[in-house]
């Protein structure tokens, strides 16, 4: 089983197992990670699954689409490597990934 580490804004780490094909939002919500809300159910319509990736992992997730870019543009804590977790499908190549969470979700 592959693992991803979610890091809360205060530095608290949560290492969770995942299966390829699940979204980062679903992995976070399914493991009760504080700070991953997914209020819209993964429809790219709210921004409550905002995650910040390290540069080396960002390239493995693909580029944000126009709808995701629009939602991220309204996020005050947006970083160059921000993504919406609902738009990132986990792959086996993401084993060991670290995902930082912003202090606030929109």
């Amino acid at each position: 089983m592959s693992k991803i580490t979610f890091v809360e804004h205060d530095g608290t780490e949560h290492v969770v197992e995942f299966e390829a094909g699940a979204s980062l939002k679903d992995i976070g919500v399914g493991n009760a990670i504080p700070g991953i809300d997914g209020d819209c159910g993964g429809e790219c319509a709210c921004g409550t699954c905002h995650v910040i990736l390290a540069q080396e992992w960002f390239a493995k997730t693909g580029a944000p689409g126009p709808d995701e870019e629009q939602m991220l543009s309204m996020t005050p804590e947006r970083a160059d490597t921000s993504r919406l977790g609902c738009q990132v499908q986990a792959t086996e190549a993401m084993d060991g990934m670290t995902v930082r969470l912003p202090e606030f979700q929109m």
Side-chain angles (χ1 to χ4, degrees), residues 4 6 8 16 20 23 27-28 45 49 67 72 80 83 95 98 104:
I4 289 180
F6 289 89
E8 292 181 59
V16 299
S23 71
I27 295 166
C49 61
D67 291 341
L72 287 169
D80 290 341
R83 293 295 310 267
D95 185 26
T98 297
F104 304 103

Side-chain angles (χ1 to χ4, degrees), residues 38-81:
D39 290 344
C40 73
E43 298 297 320
C44 194
C46 71
T48 62
C49 61
H50 176 208
V51 297
I52 303 166
L53 309 174
Q55 189 65 47
E56 64 269 18
W57 292 108
F58 185 74
K60 295 180 190 280
T61 65
D67 291 341
E68 183 178 2
E69 280 290 345
Q70 183 178 7
M71 292 308 306
L72 287 169
S73 73
M74 297 183 280
T75 304
E77 294 183 76
R78 183 180 186 172
D80 290 341
T81 58

